[in-house]
Amino acid sequence: MARLTRARQQAHNRARVLAAAGEEFAERGFRDAKIDRIAERADLTRGAVYSNFPGKRALYFAVLADAAERADAPAVDPGTDPASALAAFARLRLSRVPLTEADDSLGTGAALTPEVLSDAPVRRAFAQLTRLDAILLGLALEDLAGDGRRRVRQAQAVLTVLHGAEATAATTPGVIDPFTVIRTCEHLAGLELDDTDPPPHLAHVGAAVRVDEPWSPPAGVDLLTREPVDPTVDGVVVVLGLERLEAVEDALRAAPGAVTAVIVTDAPAERGPLVRAVLADLRRCLSRAFPGRPRARLVLDDDGAIAAAAGADSVDDGTEFALRITDGRVSARSTERGAGYAVADTARPRTPGRARR
């Protein structure tokens, strides 16, 4: 009972710190916010703040993640074609951007200023999260269009427009006309780009090793649907550090079945909330703007338990390995670059003389 009481007290203190930090960051921004003032607002000691969060940046990302996961999305009709879906996506994305001087919202994109991203590993992680956003948005566009075209570059163009609008709104509120931005994104659906698949690097990916090993990882939660994920389901499990997230596309395009991307980092207390914040914003927009479900299942393995079950003694932001799951057991594994594609390729039907892509 005493242990439960301490756990409840810690959760209560953490909630108080998050609420106080949200007020401090909204009023003063990241640079001028002070841990001492946050502790005073929460009626806690400075040590109590640091016992829950390792530093100001980690606390800031936790505030953004909490706000993104709780944010309501305006009612929009899902798109029936790429243009209408992109218009809905842009409208939803801009709904959390400060558009006036009086707006002190902490929308994720607008809040990630250069001073927040001044740490090199954080900046690289955010770059990969942005690429992951583009991949998932591009795949949603492809599913809706049904014309066989790769649309990841088109999605990158849309996100470039939206990131620019968010950055402008953060520095000069009132300048951005959201309707112009929405119409711009809508028209980008017709943009013709040289977007080829497969990329040339896949020809150099080594073959996966066929094995027969037990597999009993813990369950996770899908960051894009908030539904439970069972990693023992037949398919591909690809474990990716924050600097290798773009590699998920190769697995998604090659695998005939389910793909579970397990995201790991060597700084889960700081970069884990950044992952949650960015993907919560993406989930909010994709789930309302597009009628289908995401192809990938994304799980944040912040305690490394799933990676450990796969045999990884340690993980970092450069981690990349993958498993093929068949009948609840590991049937293939790869620890090389392109691991997700390599193990996915073991399940593809082969004909005599068939070369690897």
Side-chain angles (χ1 to χ4, degrees):
M1 181 65 70
R3 186 176 303 145
L4 180 62
T5 301
R6 285 197 297 272
R8 287 178 175 171
Q9 185 62 48
Q10 185 175 20
H12 179 64
N13 287 347
R14 183 182 177 86
R16 288 164 62 186
V17 172
L18 280 174
E23 295 173 358
E24 177 77 4
F25 289 129
E27 289 179 13
R28 301 178 182 274
F30 175 77
R31 182 182 60 188
D32 295 330
K34 302 295 183 186
I35 294 295
D36 287 338
R37 279 198 296 264
I38 292 171
E40 184 178 352
R41 286 176 185 266
D43 195 23
L44 293 168
T45 65
R46 178 186 178 92
V49 175
Y50 280 115
S51 70
N52 285 280
F53 303 94
K56 186 167 75 168
R57 185 181 282 106
L59 179 52
Y60 187 71
F61 290 156
V63 169
L64 294 182
D66 184 63
E69 290 170 344
R70 292 186 295 103
D72 291 328
V76 299
D77 294 326
T80 56
D81 55 65
S84 60
L86 284 179
F89 183 89
R91 180 183 172 192
L92 289 159
R93 182 72 176 251
L94 293 175
S95 67
R96 292 192 65 222
V97 172
L99 297 174
T100 67
E101 290 284 358
D103 191 347
D104 60 357
S105 60
L106 281 172
T108 303
L112 293 174
T113 59
E115 61 195 10
V116 180
L117 300 174
S118 60
D119 179 69
V122 170
R123 189 168 60 251
R124 290 194 296 268
F126 182 61
Q128 281 291 304
L129 284 165
T130 303
R131 293 192 183 199
L132 179 61
D133 276 3
I135 290 166
L136 297 173
L137 176 57
L139 291 172
L141 286 167
E142 292 169 23
D143 291 342
L144 190 57
D147 57 8
R149 289 175 50 199
R150 183 176 185 268
R151 292 177 178 262
V152 174
R153 287 190 181 180
Q154 190 178 85
Q156 289 173 334
V158 170
L159 292 175
T160 298
V161 170
L162 291 172
H163 278 299
E166 290 166 345
T168 303
T171 55
T172 53
V175 170
I176 292 295
D177 175 10
F179 300 104
T180 300
V181 177
I182 292 168
R183 289 296 303 275
T184 300
C185 292
E186 182 180 14
H187 284 295
L188 287 175
L191 187 64
E192 293 285 347
L193 295 169
D194 182 18
D195 202 352
T196 59
D197 177 60
H201 70 264
L202 294 185
H204 306 285
V205 173
V209 178
R210 294 182 182 273
V211 297
D212 182 17
E213 301 170 352
W215 175 235
S216 56
V221 176
D222 189 346
L223 295 171
L224 294 180
T225 64
R226 294 182 174 175
E227 297 175 354
V229 172
D230 179 3
T232 65
V233 171
D234 285 9
V236 171
V237 175
V238 55
V239 181
L240 298 171
L242 280 180
E243 295 181 12
R244 293 296 302 151
L245 295 182
E246 64 187 316
V248 74
E249 182 182 2
D250 297 337
L252 285 167
R253 295 192 184 280
V259 174
T260 301
V262 178
I263 302 173
V264 296
T265 174
D266 51 21
E270 178 175 276
R271 294 171 216 149
L274 176 63
V275 173
R276 288 171 42 219
V278 172
L279 292 180
D281 269 346
L282 181 67
R283 176 198 57 77
R284 186 176 61 93
C285 299
L286 278 183
S287 64
R288 296 290 185 93
F290 288 85
R293 292 171 61 87
R295 295 191 204 175
R297 302 182 299 179
L298 302 180
V299 176
L300 177 61
D301 189 23
D302 50 4
D303 61 359
I306 299 177
D313 295 329
S314 62
V315 293
D316 57 34
D317 285 8
T319 292
E320 181 177 358
F321 67 91
L323 312 173
R324 176 80 199 175
I325 309 303
T326 307
D327 297 329
R329 295 178 65 84
V330 180
S331 59
R333 66 166 60 239
S334 174
T335 57
E336 300 181 3
R337 289 294 174 96
Y341 171 78
V343 300
D345 197 46
T346 63
R348 297 174 66 87
R350 292 183 179 275
T351 56
R354 176 183 180 269
R356 291 176 60 86
R357 285 199 299 160

